[in-house]
């Protein structure tokens, strides 16, 4: 069965600094999608960034980028120039290509220090 | 813009009551999901539906049932509420399997069973 692990329950970063959130997953599939979702306090969960496993190039979305290491089954999220609004729970998620169910990690709570 | 609406943000019920949580999406998505979110456990899938009147059990279906009579609406039912069902409940929707599109989430319902 597929699993997603986030080994850092809590992280903190100084405003304007860079932080990296870790995620590893276990799968025997070769084709799948990976996602990072953000859930601000008392607010809706939203997509931050996605990666298709067949793409070697790491995805980037403005200040957010990923380091996708397929062989190592690692999918870390880097947040550059951290802002107060980045404070949230971050969930790593996995989905097989032709399947509906998404497997979520336990989440990392990120605090941003002014 | 994408919209998933959950009927209540906060709900307080008593042990033994039958509880209905409603979710509506306006994106014509095939798939709809109900998750339970607990600290340290991430999101756990209760049920999902890939078409009207179709449903599949997720990882923790015990004590819950669902109904999908119309494509846009997916209801979660707690048949006889118990205190261990106190939690945050998230509804999500997505396009058909095989799409790289992410899930879209509602604001969540924080349910307390007394």
């Amino acid at each position: 069965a597929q699993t997603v692990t986030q080994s850092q329950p809590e992280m903190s970063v100084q405003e304007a600094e860079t932080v990296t959130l870790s995620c590893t997953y276990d799968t025997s599939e070769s084709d799948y999608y990976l996602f990072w979702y953000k859930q601000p306090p008392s607010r809706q969960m939203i997509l931050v960034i996605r990666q298709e496993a067949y793409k070697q190039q790491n995805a980037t979305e403005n200040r957010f980028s990923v380091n996708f290491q397929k062989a190592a089954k690692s999918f870390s999220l880097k947040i550059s120039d951290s802002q107060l609004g980045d404070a949230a729970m971050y969930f790593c998620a996995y989905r097989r290509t032709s399947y509906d169910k998404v497997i979520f990690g336990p989440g990392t709570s990120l605090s941003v220090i002014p | 813009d994408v919209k998933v609406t959950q009927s209540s943000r906060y709900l307080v019920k008593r042990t033994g009551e039958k509880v209905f949580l409603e979710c509506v999406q306006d994106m014509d998505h095939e798939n709809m999901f109900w998750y339970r979110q607990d600290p340290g456990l991430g999101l756990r899938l209760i049920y999902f539906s890939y078409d009207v009147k179709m449903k599949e059990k997720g990882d923790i279906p015990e004590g819950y049932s669902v109904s999908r009579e119309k494509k846009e609406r997916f209801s979660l039912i707690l048949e006889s509420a118990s205190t261990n069902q106190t939690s945050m409940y998230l509804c999500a929707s997505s396009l058909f399997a095989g799409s790289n599109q992410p899930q879209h989430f509602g604001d969540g319902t924080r349910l307390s069973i007394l």
Side-chain angles (χ1 to χ4, degrees):
Chain A
Q2 293 88 4
T3 58
V4 176
T5 301
Q6 294 176 248
S7 59
Q8 307 149 316
E10 296 179 352
M11 293 275 290
S12 62
V13 62
Q14 292 283 146
E15 197 174 2
E17 297 295 308
T18 296
V19 65
T20 299
L21 308 185
S22 301
C23 173
T24 59
Y25 58 94
D26 185 25
T27 184
S28 58
E29 303 289 331
S30 60
D31 203 10
Y32 49 85
Y33 302 116
L34 295 165
F35 306 89
W36 277 99
Y37 286 91
K38 169 185 177 181
Q39 186 182 39
S42 301
R43 293 183 62 188
Q44 193 178 59
M45 187 173 306
I46 58 173
L47 177 73
V48 175
I49 198 166
R50 88 190 83 179
Q51 175 82 40
E52 289 88 346
Y54 67 86
K55 290 186 178 179
Q56 293 187 344
Q57 186 171 9
N58 290 324
T60 61
E61 288 286 345
N62 300 314
R63 298 182 295 106
F64 298 87
S65 62
V66 299
N67 183 3
F68 174 48
Q69 302 288 329
K70 191 172 184 179
K73 298 178 183 175
S74 171
F75 183 60
S76 60
L77 174 70
K78 185 171 83 171
I79 306 173
S80 303
D81 185 26
S82 297
Q83 302 175 358
L84 295 178
D86 294 333
M89 281 291 290
Y90 287 82
F91 293 96
C92 179
Y94 161 97
R95 178 166 70 83
R96 282 169 20 197
T97 304
S98 298
Y99 197 54
D100 305 296
K101 289 174 62 174
V102 176
I103 311 298
F104 287 86
T108 295
S109 178
L110 178 66
S111 302
V112 180
I113 303 165
Chain B
D1 200 8
V2 166
K3 190 73 173 173
V4 177
T5 303
Q6 294 184 229
S7 53
S8 305
R9 288 296 300 272
Y10 301 94
L11 205 54
V12 180
K13 296 291 182 180
R14 296 205 173 273
T15 303
E17 282 193 68
K18 191 169 187 176
V19 181
F20 294 84
L21 303 183
E22 306 287 344
C23 176
V24 177
Q25 51 98 358
D26 64 357
M27 297 159 285
D28 202 35
H29 282 170
E30 286 77 11
N31 300 327
M32 295 189 74
F33 306 81
W34 275 107
Y35 293 94
R36 173 174 169 160
Q37 182 179 7
D38 298 290
L41 298 178
L43 277 68
R44 293 181 291 168
L45 182 65
I46 304 171
Y47 269 97
F48 75 100
S49 168
Y50 50 90
D51 202 351
V52 175
K53 297 190 185 294
M54 306 301 288
K55 61 186 180 184
E56 279 198 28
K57 292 181 180 179
D59 301 315
I60 52 165
E62 296 79 17
Y64 304 93
S65 63
V66 290
S67 172
R68 193 170 181 197
E69 297 295 321
K70 294 184 178 181
K71 190 175 185 179
E72 67 270 18
R73 186 180 297 271
F74 192 36
S75 302
L76 178 70
I77 303 156
L78 285 65
E79 298 290 345
S80 178
S82 63
T83 55
N84 62 11
Q85 292 178 309
T86 292
S87 187
M88 170 71 87
Y89 290 86
L90 294 177
C91 175
S93 71
S94 70
L95 282 170
F96 54 88
S99 162
N100 70 346
Q101 295 303 302
Q103 295 186 341
H104 297 271
F105 287 85
D107 287 338
T109 296
R110 188 164 293 282
L111 175 65
S112 296
I113 306 296
L114 304 179

